[in-house]
Amino acid sequence: MSAPAEVLAVRGLTKRFPGVLALDDVTFTVRPGEVHALVGENGAGKSTLIKVLTGVYQPDQGELRYRGEPAVFGTPLRAQQAGISTIYQEVNLVPLMSVARNLYLGREPRTRLGLIDFGRMHREAERVLGDYGVRVDVRQPLRHLGVGAQQMVALARAVSVNARVVIMDEPTSSLEPREVETLFGVIRRLREQDIAVVYVSHRMEELYAVCDTVTVLRDGRHVHTGPLAETDRLTLVSLMLGRPLGEVGRQTTATPAGDHDGEPVLHAEGLTRPHQLRDVSLRIHPGEVLGLGGLLGSGRSETAKAIAGALPVTGGSVTVAGISVRTGSTPAAIRAGISLLPEDRKAEGIVPGLSVRENIALAALPRLSRFGLVHEARVDAVVETFMKRLRIKASSPHQKVGELSGGNQQKVLLARWLAMHPKVLLLDDPTRGIDVGAKAEVQKLIDELAEQGLGVLLISSDVEELISGSDRVVVLKDGAVVAELSGDDVTEDRLMRAIAAPTTAPDDTSPTIPTSPTSAEEAAVHGH
Amino acid sequence: MKPIAPIRRTSTRAVIVAGLVASLTLATGCAKSEDDDTDTPTTPQAEASQVVSTPSVGSGETCTIDAYGGKKIDLANATVGFSQSEKEANPFRIAETASIKAEAKSRGVKLLTANAQSQFSKQISDVQDLISKGADVLVIAPLNSDGWDPVLRQASAKKIPIVTIDRQINATACKDYVSFIGSDFTEQGRRAADQMIEATGGKGKVAILLGSPGNNVTTQRTKGFKDQLKAKAPDLEVVFEQTGEFTREKGQSVTEQLIQSKPDITGIYAENDEMGLGAVNALKGAGKKAGDVKIVTIDGTRNAVQGIVDGWIEGVVESNPRFGPLAFQTLDSFTKGEEVHQNIIIQDSEYTADNAEADLGKAY
Amino acid sequence: MATDVVPRRGVPADRAQLVQWMQEYGVYLGVTVLLLFNVAFTDHFLSTENFRTQAVQVAPVLIVALGMALVIGTEGVDLSVGSVMALSTSLLSLYLGYGPLAALLVALVGGAAVGLANGALVAFVGVQPIVATLALMVGVRGLALVLLPQLEDVHDPTMATLGSGDLVGIPYVVLIAVALALLVAFAVRRTTFGRQLLAVGDSRPAAQLAGLPVRRVLIVVYVCSGVLAAVAGFLATARLSASDPTSLGNLMELSAITAVVVGGTSLSGGRVRIGGTVAGAALIQLLNATLIKHNLSPSWTQIAQAAVIVVAVYAARERGRR
């Protein structure tokens, strides 16, 4: 049998959902040994296409061919068994099982008695994960690992299941630069083994670093397919957005830091929480964007949550505009004017089953009610204002938030908080997993909000975003503040140096030997 | 994952406990029920007339202390242990325990009692307890028929005579235990059928409110009733059989459905009084008058007999709970060395319009 | 709603749509089918009296199911409802000497207290709802029996009127049930509490981070369930004209959960369908009535109920997978 020119192909694919034509006559082919970038804005149809390829959805029209044969994958499992593996943005493993069990789930090495050979499983798991730069105790539950390390486990699992096609949906969104490099190494190895990779990402650098071919979707239609080398960035972006590039640009310079000397709007002092935060202090002035830098697991999200009252602290205080706020109470923090956009948008941010309207009004409900009855007209007014102002794209205010794209979900959350007229906005990776256009919009919104006098705390896994979006950057490491960059020092280079610099804390250990039980992700990052 | 402050836990738990305790005291502290100011008769006056037995009914096999093993004692100086199966929460159990206690008192016998609260494991340990506390003879109202081996082994080692009342146990009479004293549920069904035949003139359509499914009382009361109908009144047709689970509520709701779909029903046979009273409620609710539908029930509780007086119920076959006199008489004879029957059927009387008013005091 | 592609009502095209359609409207279909069957095959079915009987019998189940729907909307479950009915009837009997209104108040306070305990266990101590309410289910039934060890007749004329009387032909019991259904539906749709309840049920972490009073919502929900169960116990007592804590409310939790789930409220929370719950309760009632009226053996009644529960749970599972 001669190798087919294409391993996986769809032609004339159409998929409808109530009220939405998600894919309209799309053609998409992948050849063995090819790294194929799949890009497009929100609602372009990337997710739907992937779900059709992996058997989650069945096409309404069009043909799916796999290894030269017409194929029907009734379920994701069947697609996986046929050799199509998928790594999703959100890690899809069993958090309570050990790392090794997750890696070998359903195909554990057996002893002669048919029992699981734990010894062999653990040894092999360590070896396999080592190839991915993950050095952890494979016996501990998966959930003790950081998101990045979990993703590596998911990748290792997917690749080792005899895959012919590996689909990666935003694989780097929670990875650190070093992990990204490891991932690219893995992708190159897959290419050598003639395995096809479908690579979905919003990060241009990554696309140009590893992809051979690119397919652009827009509004459910196929727009372009061609070798990536022949498509420059400018062209690619304009293909994705379908409009002249000028509109996408944003002010890269943040407000000058000089006018932030007065009374801080937020003052957090000595926040402490065992194993997670050590005496973290920071202040944000009105109109200032304070970046919170650091590696995954450095305590960035924990700091934000502690300020927002969502994480109880054993020590420390939070003051908003000079008034002390009770810690450990979300309602108290919200009343004081603190709003948090959590990192895990789907689990902790949106209420997926409720409509856009209810989600926006959720926090402000008591204000929009009289005698416990919701004042519908006032809710409508608020919802309309913010849907317009934040350009939220939904078929109507009554559409379920769970059906929206990531960017629009994030905007809905922003709307929810802006409706509360907050003084301080804590944004934990607000542009994670949203496409270029929406990302630029959100970034622009953040600048606008700061200009209106809000204090903004910005956390981002995208170093460039953090640097260009922040007036000042506080750098965390192992749950403690290790540096503060301001003025001309706010550069990527300085940030990296601050993170890489050996810490002075007496109880700290060499970064290559993880001993702290909370720094599993650190281990993943610093591992050999 | 849930950010719940652990600091508050203890206080919360304390609050809950305190709340429950407070509510309990509150609930009982100043209660005032309907009956508090009207005084209703609480104890039946004349029960002596109920104790006559008909030992000749059923199996004629007998037992003596020589056959059983053990030595003669004088019951007057003995300690009697009584193990009740269920909580005294219904008239039958209340009357049963009261009867045992009253008889022990009148004979001047020392009585030890225990109640298994419907838990079989507790009944087993109850009986073992009674033995270790020095009971010379045992009266047991068993919760189950099976599972008695460990206790019986222990009792027979000490040659303690056992009489079981109201339910039988699966073991050998005159070896594992002496006698069983109880009602003949099939006979009760037959007598209910006789009453139904008399009330309806032997013609018409009858409904049966069955007891709890899978219960031998239900099975036997149904069998007796149907057999007698077949034999004596073939024109009396059973057109409806549904369970009322021995409760008034179910009896009521099932009867409500019944009189909707079969308005021409002649009689209702309820396998216990409670369901019969539920049926009365349903008939009243549907605008029927007393006597429109003939109701016959089994048990003989005061409420049901009052129902006869009021004209809603035609007849009640008694299921006699007063085992005290018969049980003690049996044990007395046995320990003296006399012959006693292995199966003793207690005599059940019955109530009809003729005697209900006069005998209301005898109902339990 | 849909802008360009409007899904056709009534004729579901593919399987997924069929399943969804069944989830939304299956319960109404079931009720219709049973009604038609009975009209065709059951004697004397089409009479006012018959519908009155069915409505009166379903009222207590429906009232309990309303509370259950709220609890299930928060991704919980309340197994203690049957025991609360028993407690309610015990308290009624004990306090009827002060008059029916006072006795009702005491019963409602009792129901609220049990709900408070449930809610506190779930919201503060973090006990799983099924475990917390199971504990209360056992304990409260015991308490009810301690308070009133055996069946006690109720002679109060007001109670009797309430149990069997009517207003322009509609029994009081049914009127009360309808009023409560409307009240609960209103609370879910129009009040802040209703919105917060749905948010808590759909995503508790998100609700917490949005500053919602999650614990308060949970406690109020369980208190509502307890109070509604106490009302149901009150009405059942009035109808029976007796307090019978040994049997009142037995297996009520199952009937209520079935009504709610059959009615299309997902066990995974975030959704409360009051109309569906009413129809679900009606479906169970009609099913029972059909089997009894046709004099099928009691074992068949149990099997049929089990079948309905299985179908409902299957539907719930499909719902959960979306």
Side-chain angles (χ1 to χ4, degrees):
Chain A
M1 194 176 86
S2 64
E6 57 200 31
V7 60
L8 184 64
V10 283
R11 293 203 170 74
L13 179 65
T14 299
K15 180 74 193 170
R16 284 167 207 284
F17 294 108
V20 186
L21 184 58
L23 290 176
D24 184 8
D25 193 21
V26 167
T27 293
F28 179 67
T29 60
V30 192
R31 288 190 300 274
E34 171 188 64
V35 181
H36 196 136
L38 180 61
V39 297
E41 268 226 84
N42 270 338
K46 293 169 309 202
S47 302
T48 312
L49 177 57
I50 290 171
K51 285 181 175 166
V52 171
L53 294 179
T54 53
V56 178
Y57 293 149
Q58 304 308 314
D60 292 341
Q61 282 162 33
E63 190 195 24
L64 175 65
R65 294 178 79 86
Y66 178 58
R67 302 175 74 186
E69 308 275 327
V72 177
F73 302 124
T75 63
L77 182 67
R78 294 259 288 283
Q80 204 185 338
Q81 282 164 346
I84 300 178
S85 284
T86 317
I87 299 143
Y88 287 104
Q89 257 166 293
E90 278 76 24
V91 179
N92 200 5
L93 297 171
V94 191
L96 287 174
M97 281 194 183
S98 77
V99 174
R101 280 304 288 275
N102 270 292
L103 195 55
Y104 286 99
L105 201 62
R107 52 194 183 92
E108 293 88 351
R110 302 280 170 173
T111 63
R112 240 174 289 165
L113 292 173
L115 303 172
I116 296 174
D117 187 343
F118 280 102
R120 207 172 101 207
M121 188 169 82
H122 290 149
R123 277 195 308 280
E124 287 185 11
E126 265 166 23
R127 187 182 55 75
V128 169
L129 290 177
D131 288 353
Y132 293 82
V134 181
R135 299 255 182 276
V136 291
D137 176 6
V138 296
R139 290 165 187 81
Q140 67 178 329
L142 183 77
R143 66 178 177 144
H144 288 182
L145 264 57
V147 183
Q150 289 192 20
Q151 194 132 27
M152 282 306 194
V153 175
L155 178 65
R157 175 177 165 78
V159 173
S160 57
V161 191
N162 230 348
R164 300 239 160 207
V165 179
V166 177
I167 298 172
M168 301 183 181
D169 189 357
E170 294 264 351
T172 57
S173 56
S174 39
L175 298 191
E176 298 300 334
R178 183 187 287 269
E179 294 173 308
V180 172
E181 270 315 309
T182 315
L183 175 72
F184 288 174
V186 172
I187 291 176
R188 288 183 190 112
R189 255 193 3 233
L190 295 177
R191 180 158 52 193
E192 282 159 21
Q193 294 164 19
D194 251 9
I195 294 171
V197 175
V198 177
Y199 193 92
V200 181
S201 178
H202 301 117
R203 297 182 182 169
M204 295 282 158
E205 295 73 18
E206 294 174 15
L207 300 184
Y208 283 95
V210 288
C211 297
D212 310 314
T213 318
V214 64
T215 289
V216 183
L217 298 181
R218 189 172 69 234
D219 298 332
R221 290 191 190 82
H222 175 253
V223 179
H224 169 85
T225 297
L228 193 61
E230 294 169 15
T231 319
D232 65 31
R233 292 184 180 209
L234 221 56
T235 317
L236 194 56
V237 169
S238 63
L239 280 171
M240 283 163 65
L241 300 182
R243 51 188 156 116
L245 199 66
E247 282 179 29
V248 192
R250 66 177 210 93
Q251 310 99 309
T252 43
T253 44
T255 346
D259 53 346
H260 299 314
D261 295 333
E263 165 106 348
V265 64
L266 177 83
H267 185 188
E269 184 73 52
L271 296 174
T272 300
R273 183 177 160 83
H275 304 302
Q276 287 179 328
L277 298 176
R278 281 188 288 144
D279 196 21
V280 173
S281 302
L282 48 86
R283 46 183 73 206
I284 305 174
H285 296 89
E288 184 186 37
V289 179
L290 176 69
L292 200 53
L295 295 171
L296 211 64
S298 58
R300 301 177 310 194
S301 297
E302 288 78 4
T303 302
K305 280 196 168 179
I307 295 171
L311 201 66
V313 290
T314 52
S317 65
V318 175
T319 317
V320 172
I323 300 159
S324 170
V325 184
R326 181 155 66 91
T327 57
S329 160
T330 326
I334 291 171
R335 269 196 304 277
I338 301 175
S339 292
L340 167 69
L341 228 63
E343 179 185 23
D344 195 340
R345 179 177 70 234
K346 286 190 175 151
E348 301 189 318
I350 58 163
V351 182
L354 295 189
S355 65
V356 172
R357 181 177 182 274
E358 303 308 333
N359 266 282
I360 291 178
L362 192 63
L365 263 186
R367 250 189 338 98
L368 302 174
S369 305
R370 232 181 321 172
F371 311 119
L373 295 184
V374 179
H375 197 302
E376 304 292 351
R378 270 153 78 180
V379 171
D380 283 334
V382 167
V383 169
E384 205 193 319
T385 310
F386 284 104
M387 280 185 76
K388 227 180 248 167
R389 183 168 154 205
L390 303 187
R391 295 177 291 275
I392 295 171
K393 274 185 234 154
S395 60
S396 92
H398 301 287
Q399 190 179 7
K400 280 188 184 177
V401 157
E403 294 168 359
L404 298 188
S405 62
N408 277 308
Q409 289 179 351
Q410 201 66 287
K411 289 189 202 166
V412 166
L413 288 180
L414 261 177
R416 179 193 289 172
W417 290 122
L418 295 181
M420 299 291 291
H421 309 302
K423 296 192 180 76
V424 182
L425 256 182
L426 313 175
L427 307 172
D428 193 348
D429 223 347
T431 61
R432 175 179 163 195
I434 56 183
D435 61 84
V436 176
K439 194 167 176 169
E441 272 189 86
V442 170
Q443 286 166 340
K444 199 169 159 207
L445 265 170
I446 296 169
D447 286 347
E448 279 172 21
L449 292 169
E451 272 164 33
Q452 288 162 20
L454 258 75
V456 177
L457 180 73
L458 177 66
I459 299 173
S460 179
S461 49
D462 181 342
V463 174
E464 193 198 331
E465 176 180 271
L466 189 70
I467 293 302
S468 61
S470 309
D471 302 314
R472 260 189 317 134
V473 175
V474 165
V475 184
L476 290 178
K477 188 168 184 178
D478 291 338
V481 176
V482 290
E484 185 179 325
L485 313 174
S486 57
D488 293 340
D489 284 346
V490 184
T491 64
E492 289 188 28
D493 186 54
R494 289 278 179 167
L495 177 63
M496 298 295 194
R497 279 169 196 274
I499 291 170
T503 18
T504 47
D507 58 338
D508 202 53
T509 48
S510 149
T512 45
I513 306 160
T515 50
S516 157
T518 57
S519 53
E521 50 267 64
E522 290 286 303
V525 173
H526 292 294
H528 320 274
Chain B
M1 298 299 263
K2 276 176 288 182
I4 286 172
I7 320 112
R8 313 182 69 153
R9 286 192 181 175
T10 25
S11 61
T12 316
R13 218 170 285 166
V15 166
I16 294 167
V17 171
L20 281 178
V21 170
S23 60
L24 181 57
T25 25
L26 201 106
T28 44
C30 50
K32 179 180 168 198
S33 79
E34 262 192 308
D35 300 333
D36 280 359
D37 25 32
T38 64
D39 63 340
T40 44
T42 43
T43 45
Q45 315 100 317
E47 34 188 86
S49 61
Q50 292 282 315
V51 304
V52 195
S53 66
T54 52
S56 54
V57 181
S59 117
E61 286 194 51
T62 58
C63 185
T64 61
I65 200 155
D66 297 331
Y68 187 77
K71 56 181 194 303
K72 290 177 197 173
I73 47 170
D74 183 2
L75 191 63
N77 303 323
T79 303
V80 177
F82 173 55
S83 163
Q84 177 60 283
S85 54
E86 295 166 17
K87 202 159 154 19
E88 282 93 4
N90 62 60
F92 186 92
R93 294 291 161 199
I94 295 170
E96 187 176 51
T97 303
S99 158
I100 299 278
K101 284 184 175 164
E103 186 67 16
K105 202 174 170 194
S106 76
R107 284 175 181 260
V109 175
K110 191 181 171 206
L111 182 72
L112 304 169
T113 60
N115 191 315
Q117 312 279 353
S118 297
Q119 292 166 39
F120 188 62
S121 57
K122 180 165 184 324
Q123 184 158 36
I124 296 291
S125 64
D126 278 353
V127 174
Q128 285 167 341
D129 246 22
L130 291 171
I131 294 174
S132 65
K133 278 182 187 162
D136 301 308
V137 294
L138 286 172
V139 177
I140 299 176
L143 188 66
N144 288 356
S145 298
D146 295 306
W148 285 95
D149 298 349
V151 171
L152 295 177
R153 228 175 292 131
Q154 206 175 337
S156 67
K158 293 192 167 187
K159 300 295 174 199
I160 295 175
I162 297 174
V163 166
T164 75
I165 58 173
D166 81 62
R167 280 177 206 157
Q168 216 156 352
I169 56 178
N170 288 336
T172 318
C174 206
K175 176 173 169 284
D176 301 321
Y177 67 96
V178 176
S179 302
F180 160 69
I181 309 173
S183 291
D184 181 342
F185 299 125
T186 316
E187 176 63 17
Q188 290 174 347
R190 279 196 286 268
R191 294 172 68 186
D194 287 337
Q195 292 208 4
M196 183 61 82
I197 292 165
E198 201 182 316
T200 57
K203 258 208 199 114
K205 294 176 176 173
V206 190
I208 304 179
L209 297 181
L210 303 167
S212 306
N215 182 315
N216 75 310
V217 180
T218 304
T219 322
Q220 292 174 14
R221 284 181 181 171
T222 310
K223 184 177 184 300
F225 185 83
K226 284 186 172 172
D227 287 353
Q228 190 77 343
L229 239 49
K230 209 180 280 172
K232 283 196 172 171
D235 288 344
L236 208 49
E237 191 193 349
V238 175
V239 294
F240 184 88
E241 282 176 71
Q242 288 291 318
T243 179
E245 286 164 17
F246 285 137
T247 69
R248 193 183 293 191
E249 193 203 0
K250 277 273 174 186
Q252 177 172 347
S253 57
V254 169
T255 309
E256 282 170 351
Q257 301 287 4
L258 164 72
I259 48 186
Q260 283 304 324
S261 57
K262 297 190 167 46
D264 54 342
I265 200 83
T266 326
I268 297 173
Y269 163 46
E271 292 184 351
N272 80 345
D273 285 349
E274 280 303 313
M275 294 191 293
L277 292 166
V280 170
N281 269 354
L283 291 174
K284 280 181 185 165
K288 302 266 183 188
K289 281 193 258 320
D292 284 356
V293 178
K294 316 293 181 194
I295 300 178
V296 174
T297 74
I298 297 181
D299 268 356
T301 57
R302 182 183 303 274
N303 279 329
V305 178
Q306 181 66 45
I308 302 180
V309 175
D310 298 342
W312 283 96
I313 297 179
E314 291 303 313
V316 176
V317 175
E318 189 194 46
S319 188
N320 195 342
R322 301 187 186 89
F323 291 98
L326 204 48
F328 278 83
Q329 189 192 318
T330 307
L331 285 170
D332 195 19
S333 313
F334 182 75
T335 49
K336 275 182 195 149
E338 292 167 18
E339 223 178 44
V340 298
H341 286 268
Q342 292 178 1
N343 262 326
I344 301 168
I345 304 302
I346 191 166
Q347 190 195 38
D348 298 324
S349 53
E350 58 184 49
Y351 303 91
T352 60
D354 300 334
N355 67 344
E357 200 152 4
D359 288 351
L360 187 55
K362 286 200 286 186
Y364 58 89
Chain C
M1 281 305 290
T3 47
D4 46 0
V5 189
V6 180
R8 280 180 300 166
R9 284 277 147 81
V11 197
D14 59 26
R15 191 178 163 277
Q17 251 178 307
L18 179 75
V19 167
Q20 195 177 349
W21 189 89
M22 280 303 288
Q23 282 157 13
E24 296 284 335
Y25 305 104
V27 64
Y28 302 105
L29 181 73
V31 170
T32 314
V33 167
L34 272 175
L35 279 175
L36 290 177
F37 173 88
N38 278 299
V39 167
F41 299 107
T42 307
D43 298 336
H44 313 287
F45 188 79
L46 274 181
S47 72
T48 338
E49 273 308 302
N50 178 55
F51 285 106
R52 186 192 156 107
T53 301
Q54 308 311 334
V56 166
Q57 288 195 4
V58 82
V61 182
L62 173 60
I63 293 171
V64 173
L66 292 173
M68 189 68 79
L70 296 181
V71 174
I72 289 180
T74 65
E75 207 177 353
V77 72
D78 186 354
L79 298 180
S80 68
V81 285
S83 300
V84 171
M85 286 179 73
L87 179 67
S88 163
T89 199
S90 291
L91 290 172
L92 273 172
S93 176
L94 282 176
Y95 285 86
L96 214 47
Y98 292 110
L101 194 66
L104 171 64
L105 279 178
V106 175
L108 294 185
V109 169
V114 176
L116 194 65
N118 277 328
L121 283 171
V122 172
F124 285 100
V125 190
V127 180
Q128 295 254 14
I130 196 165
V131 177
T133 58
L134 184 71
L136 269 290
M137 165 179 157
V138 175
V140 171
R141 172 78 62 180
L143 177 64
L145 287 170
V146 168
L147 294 177
L148 189 73
Q150 60 165 318
L151 185 141
E152 190 79 39
D153 280 306
V154 169
H155 305 293
D156 189 277
T158 319
M159 293 285 284
T161 314
L162 202 67
S164 49
D166 53 38
L167 188 74
V168 290
I170 306 169
Y172 289 123
V173 180
V174 176
L175 285 175
I176 292 172
V178 169
L180 287 174
L182 291 175
L183 185 71
V184 172
F186 178 81
V188 171
R189 279 165 170 263
R190 306 301 302 273
T191 65
T192 325
F193 167 71
R195 305 281 166 89
Q196 292 177 336
L197 184 161
L198 296 180
V200 169
D202 198 335
S203 175
R204 205 159 143 183
Q208 212 130 24
L209 281 183
L212 264 52
V214 174
R215 290 170 181 168
R216 193 173 77 207
V217 168
L218 286 173
I219 286 179
V220 171
V221 160
Y222 283 93
V223 167
C224 282
S225 175
V227 167
L228 286 167
V231 171
F234 171 73
L235 293 181
T237 308
R239 219 173 74 75
L240 194 62
S241 59
S243 289
D244 186 6
T246 42
S247 72
L248 188 68
N250 271 341
L251 295 183
M252 182 54 89
E253 59 285 346
L254 282 189
S255 304
I257 293 170
T258 311
V260 173
V261 173
V262 170
T265 298
S266 162
L267 282 174
S268 51
R271 194 142 189 239
V272 175
R273 298 188 65 200
I274 296 301
T277 301
V278 174
L283 182 75
I284 299 168
Q285 175 62 27
L286 277 175
L287 185 70
N288 268 336
T290 309
L291 294 164
I292 291 177
K293 281 173 188 288
H294 286 268
N295 199 24
L296 265 82
S297 131
S299 334
W300 283 107
T301 316
Q302 289 168 332
I303 292 169
Q305 275 175 338
V308 169
I309 293 174
V310 168
V311 169
V313 168
Y314 178 77
R317 190 188 65 108
E318 289 280 336
R319 207 175 288 134
R321 284 204 312 204
R322 272 190 298 166

